[in-house]
Amino acid sequence: MRSLRTGLSLVSLLSGLALLAPAPTASAADVPLRELAAAKGKVIGTAVTGSKLTGTYGDLAGAQFNSLTPGNAMKWGSVEPSRGSYNWAEADQIVNFAEAHGQQVRGHTLVWHNQNPDWLTNGTWTPAQLSRLLDDHIALEVGRYKGRLAAWDVVNEPFNEDGTYRQTLWYNGLGTGYIAQALTAARAADPAARLYINDYNVEGVNAKSTALYNLVKSLKEQGVPIDGVGLQAHLIVGQVPATLQQNIQRFADLGVDVAITELDIRMTLPSDSAKLTQQAADYKAVMNACVAVARCVGATVWGFTDSDSWIPSTFPGQGAATPYDENYAPKPAYHAIAEALGGTTTPEPTGACSAVYSVTSQWNTGFTGQVKISCSGAALSSWKAGWTYGAGQRITQAWNAICTQSGTAVSCSNAAYNGTVPDGGSVTFGFNGSWSGSNPVPVVTLG
């Protein structure tokens, strides 16, 4: 499992919703993904950041998905940063949001080698002490949400790529038995929750997934409570394993459920129409494989918008891995997911141009802003950009564009020398303005 992105660029933080020309929008006639998934008896979920569950982010998270996974809020380092000192605020916020929106919650994660508190990682523990810490943590966290969570990723990433056990605090201190111990403790704390082992690079048939298969088979034979396996599915464009459906089916044949738990499909930046088309095909292939197997319960995307993705900070030069872009515009991948779930959606354009507004500097009563117009798979011979200010801001000066303001409405058009925006190119214009009280970022439209 991977952390949701926590650090964004200034432009990403301040940019408004850019409407594309032509716009790959989810029209009012499109059925939300959650309704399509429910009709097929599947889950379509997303990992979320609790503090962002407002505005457009919250609206989309609530409307499009029937399951939420806390990206970081339920990890040991988040809930018990100091021994005996707990912080449940964000985890509670996500669970409350889900219940208010008729969604289930997937708990993530109880036993992992990463994102543990320093006091645990740096401690010197006897096996007995470590065993007690494991049991107590699971009893406390699972018990807190008893009856409110549908499933837990109980054990996360126990294997190396070659199928050997990962050397971790838990394996080194307790041996392979820590996995059965964790599952047993979780069952005792909430008998109704579905219990999973979750890992990455186990989507196709390979040494690592076979090790996971053999572990689950052994646990089942021993009577250890195990209800499912999570295939994280952090994938690369054009590299969906050919054996994905076969692998899902072999786990299902063991008598356990399978969930795609952390789906994203990254590409080398910048994105373009060819990459986005391939990405859509890949998302559809993953969803089709899950839909084809009865015991595949569904898929969760690891963040639904590129502005909340862990990819750029972990894989420099890569990104654009989710179904929505950083401005919450649905990408071809969104429509591919819908189609795999039986929906019909607005046809996708082959290319688009977008306008992104950002504030580059701000002081007591004034600010400097800019709008960047970019094209990918399309081009412009002239352009107009418009927006409406929501807090009484006034433009006082503009450059590289001809701007007028009437009341709250601003309209800017190209200068004589910069009307052409080629495929793969961009133009930027800037302005100074005044503000008082607040300076919210407006939505920009291209005309």
Side-chain angles (χ1 to χ4, degrees):
M1 124 87 257
R2 296 294 177 259
S3 304
L4 286 182
R5 186 175 179 180
T6 55
L8 303 177
S9 67
L10 178 63
V11 170
S12 296
L13 286 168
L14 295 174
S15 60
L17 297 181
L19 297 184
L20 306 182
T25 58
S27 73
D30 291 342
V31 179
L33 296 180
R34 62 182 290 170
E35 294 184 22
L36 296 172
K40 287 191 172 291
K42 302 293 184 181
V43 167
I44 184 69
T46 182
V48 293
T49 301
S51 62
K52 297 182 180 179
L53 286 171
T54 60
T56 302
Y57 183 97
D59 291 344
L60 287 173
Q64 290 290 341
F65 303 97
N66 57 14
S67 177
L68 299 183
T69 299
N72 293 300
M74 289 185 176
K75 294 171 184 171
W76 201 329
S78 297
V79 300
E80 194 181 5
S82 300
R83 190 174 187 185
S85 177
Y86 300 95
N87 180 3
W88 302 104
E90 186 185 0
D92 287 351
Q93 178 186 18
I94 293 169
V95 174
N96 292 337
F97 181 96
E99 290 176 342
H101 290 80
Q103 299 165 304
Q104 63 177 246
V105 178
R106 183 181 192 88
H108 182 85
T109 180
L110 296 171
V111 183
W112 191 28
H113 61 277
N114 275 334
Q115 291 184 254
N116 289 314
D118 289 341
W119 66 263
L120 176 64
T121 302
N122 298 331
T124 301
W125 313 105
T126 67
Q129 290 171 327
L130 198 59
S131 179
R132 179 65 180 270
L133 286 168
L134 183 70
D135 286 342
D136 288 351
H137 171 69
I138 292 173
L140 179 68
E141 183 159 10
V142 178
R144 180 181 180 85
Y145 299 106
K146 181 179 180 180
R148 301 178 71 189
L149 267 62
W152 279 98
D153 291 325
V154 179
V155 175
N156 202 45
E157 301 174 1
F159 291 108
N160 296 313
E161 296 304 298
D162 63 359
T164 58
Y165 281 94
R166 187 189 294 271
Q167 303 289 308
T168 69
L169 171 72
W170 307 110
Y171 177 81
N172 294 337
L174 301 174
T176 60
Y178 84 89
I179 296 174
Q181 179 181 343
L183 290 162
T184 301
R187 174 69 85 230
D190 187 350
R194 305 290 286 176
L195 308 181
Y196 281 72
I197 300 174
N198 190 52
D199 216 326
Y200 66 93
N201 288 350
V202 292
E203 295 75 34
V205 176
N206 56 37
K208 192 174 187 180
S209 65
T210 297
L212 179 59
Y213 176 90
N214 290 334
L215 170 63
V216 173
K217 184 173 185 291
S218 175
L219 293 171
K220 291 281 288 183
E221 290 170 349
Q222 297 171 54
V224 175
I226 172 71
D227 299 308
V229 295
L231 314 181
Q232 291 185 13
H234 294 295
L235 302 173
I236 299 171
V237 162
Q239 297 184 25
V240 175
T243 53
L244 174 59
Q245 184 177 328
Q246 174 190 344
N247 194 41
I248 294 173
Q249 186 65 60
R250 71 166 175 164
F251 280 107
D253 290 343
L254 288 177
V256 296
D257 292 336
V258 180
I260 307 296
T261 54
E262 304 180 24
L263 176 62
D264 52 29
I265 305 179
R266 64 187 183 270
M267 64 182 68
T268 300
L269 298 173
S271 65
D272 58 33
S273 58
K275 294 174 188 175
L276 292 172
T277 298
Q278 181 62 55
Q279 182 187 57
D282 293 342
Y283 265 98
K284 193 169 187 179
V286 173
M287 295 303 301
N288 283 343
C290 181
V291 169
V293 180
R295 292 204 70 154
C296 184
V297 299
T300 290
V301 293
W302 203 246
F304 64 89
T305 169
D306 290 341
S307 66
D308 200 37
S309 173
W310 68 293
I311 296 295
S313 61
T314 306
F315 299 95
Q318 299 184 56
T322 77
Y324 287 79
D325 70 17
E326 291 198 356
N327 299 305
Y328 301 109
K331 290 150 60 175
Y334 165 89
H335 299 279
I337 293 171
E339 290 163 7
L341 292 172
T344 57
T345 64
T346 307
E348 283 299 304
T350 57
C353 298
S354 64
V356 177
Y357 181 113
S358 62
V359 176
T360 57
S361 63
Q362 184 170 296
W363 54 97
N364 290 341
T365 59
F367 68 95
T368 298
Q370 71 173 26
V371 171
K372 182 177 183 179
I373 299 172
S374 305
C375 291
S376 177
L380 296 172
S381 58
S382 64
W383 48 263
K384 289 183 179 180
W387 62 90
T388 300
Y389 279 127
Q393 302 100 312
R394 299 288 304 180
I395 286 184
T396 58
Q397 178 188 15
W399 52 92
N400 295 334
I402 302 167
C403 293
T404 60
Q405 182 168 353
S406 177
T408 59
V410 177
S411 178
C412 297
S413 58
N414 60 272
Y417 53 83
N418 66 351
T420 299
V421 185
D423 183 5
S426 64
V427 299
T428 300
F429 65 90
F431 44 87
N432 288 329
S434 63
W435 68 284
S436 177
S438 64
N439 189 21
V441 173
V443 175
V444 182
T445 61
L446 280 178

